[in-house]
Amino acid sequence: NILLCLSESTTMAPATPEPIASTKGRQIPIVCPGHTRPLAELQFRSVHENDEKRTFLVSACHDKMPMLRDAATGDWIGTFAGHKGAVWSCRLDPAALLAGTASGDFSVKVWDAITGSSLYSFPHKHVVKTLDWSHDSKRLATGGHEGILRVYDVSKPKETPLEFVQSTSKTISIPKCNWLDNRTVLAAGSDGTIRFWNVDEPDPSRQLTRTLRVGDGVRDMELLALSSDPTRTILTVAAGDRVTFFDMTTGEEMRSYKMPIHFREEG
């Protein structure tokens, strides 16, 4: 089950003269039943429809059935059915018109997020753990146990994807990948290094533009532009027993917090 928490920021007026307890700051959980196995990933995606903001929630799960919900209410909208293995990643594109799923069945699928229809299937040679959409929704980056970052042009699904091998000496799996901009993809490695790839650079010797060492195998990673300053992007990394925040404008570490457990204990 998925648990959503909504905050009540104001005190509700009593319907009767009798005093009631304040609900200011209270967390009200919404339980979203449906999944039958452990969850692997959640993503919130907000879009504007007719001058109104709407937020969706997609969930990847080991039960092979990624789901789409209304994030405000938790109401189920649909299920992307078709994978034969655990789904490790499920993400909506910036317009919330397309969905991508990465699975243990060695495949990535692209779906019509409105109808739920499967549009394309991209075969891989091992478990696929992560995927992410480019900011312009034109390309899809994938990664997993092969240690190869792949970039697909979804307008040309039959074309061979671009490939970026993390290491030529050993296999370094990719648990997470994120687009920093429309040409740069961050690939988090099981060796504790985040690699910045310029996927538009034709010269292989210049494709790897930067590395960021976090000290342990990365379990999760997320990029988020600040609402107060959209030009400033924060990278959050969960690795080992720490959660660390980096300012992508300067490349500097902002904060790092030690967790009570090592992330590998979370499965």
Side-chain angles (χ1 to χ4, degrees):
N1 292 341
I2 297 173
L3 186 68
L4 301 179
C5 288
L6 306 179
S7 296
E8 287 189 351
S9 58
T10 58
T11 302
M12 298 176 64
T16 67
E18 297 180 6
I20 63 171
S22 170
T23 58
K24 185 176 182 179
R26 176 178 159 200
Q27 297 290 313
I28 303 176
I30 299 175
V31 178
C32 306
H35 285 302
T36 59
R37 297 286 305 281
L39 293 169
E41 184 180 76
L42 298 173
Q43 182 207 23
F44 289 93
R45 175 66 78 188
S46 295
V47 295
H48 288 83
E49 297 180 343
N50 301 322
D51 297 326
E52 292 186 3
K53 181 179 178 180
R54 187 176 184 188
T55 302
F56 298 98
L57 169 66
V58 286
S59 52
C61 184
H62 291 189
D63 64 7
K64 314 173 189 178
M65 305 292 281
M67 295 185 182
L68 173 67
R69 290 179 169 86
D70 185 311
T73 63
D75 290 342
W76 176 84
I77 296 174
T79 300
F80 303 109
H83 279 294
K84 298 179 180 179
V87 176
W88 288 97
S89 182
C90 181
R91 301 187 72 83
L92 292 172
D93 81 309
L97 298 176
L98 297 171
T101 52
S103 174
D105 63 9
F106 297 13
S107 76
V108 163
K109 292 183 182 295
V110 175
W111 312 79
D112 184 321
I114 305 299
T115 66
S117 300
S118 176
L119 301 177
Y120 317 118
S121 183
F122 300 127
H124 290 60
K125 296 180 181 179
H126 212 312
V127 173
V128 193
K129 295 295 293 287
T130 181
L131 58 80
D132 195 30
W133 291 95
S134 60
H135 296 186
D136 58 10
S137 300
K138 294 181 179 180
R139 295 192 283 185
L140 188 67
T142 72
H145 286 180
E146 285 181 85
I148 301 174
L149 176 70
R150 290 185 173 90
V151 177
Y152 295 86
D153 184 337
V154 293
S155 67
K156 303 172 183 177
K158 294 184 178 181
E159 286 196 356
T160 302
L162 301 174
E163 294 187 351
F164 305 87
V165 180
Q166 304 307 289
S167 173
T168 56
S169 60
K170 61 179 180 179
T171 300
I172 299 173
S173 64
I174 304 172
K176 291 291 176 180
C177 67
N178 290 128
W179 288 83
L180 179 61
D181 50 47
N182 281 323
R183 66 180 179 183
T184 307
V185 180
L186 278 61
S190 56
D191 62 345
T193 299
I194 299 171
R195 294 169 175 83
F196 292 61
W197 296 95
N198 182 346
V199 299
D200 289 337
E201 173 57 58
D203 184 352
S205 66
R206 301 175 60 184
Q207 291 171 344
L208 182 61
T209 62
R210 180 185 169 194
T211 59
L212 184 63
R213 180 71 182 169
V214 293
D216 209 336
V218 178
R219 301 293 290 189
D220 205 353
M221 177 176 73
E222 184 176 1
L223 284 165
L224 181 66
L226 296 180
S227 57
S228 58
D229 182 3
T231 64
R232 190 179 179 193
T233 300
I234 306 302
L235 173 66
T236 305
V237 181
D241 61 356
R242 305 193 72 86
V243 173
T244 306
F245 301 88
F246 297 91
D247 188 331
M248 289 291 93
T249 304
T250 62
E252 296 180 355
E253 178 182 313
M254 300 170 59
R255 297 281 191 279
S256 185
Y257 299 97
K258 192 176 187 307
M259 299 293 106
I261 62 171
H262 196 287
F263 284 111
R264 64 170 170 261
E265 298 174 20
E266 289 292 286

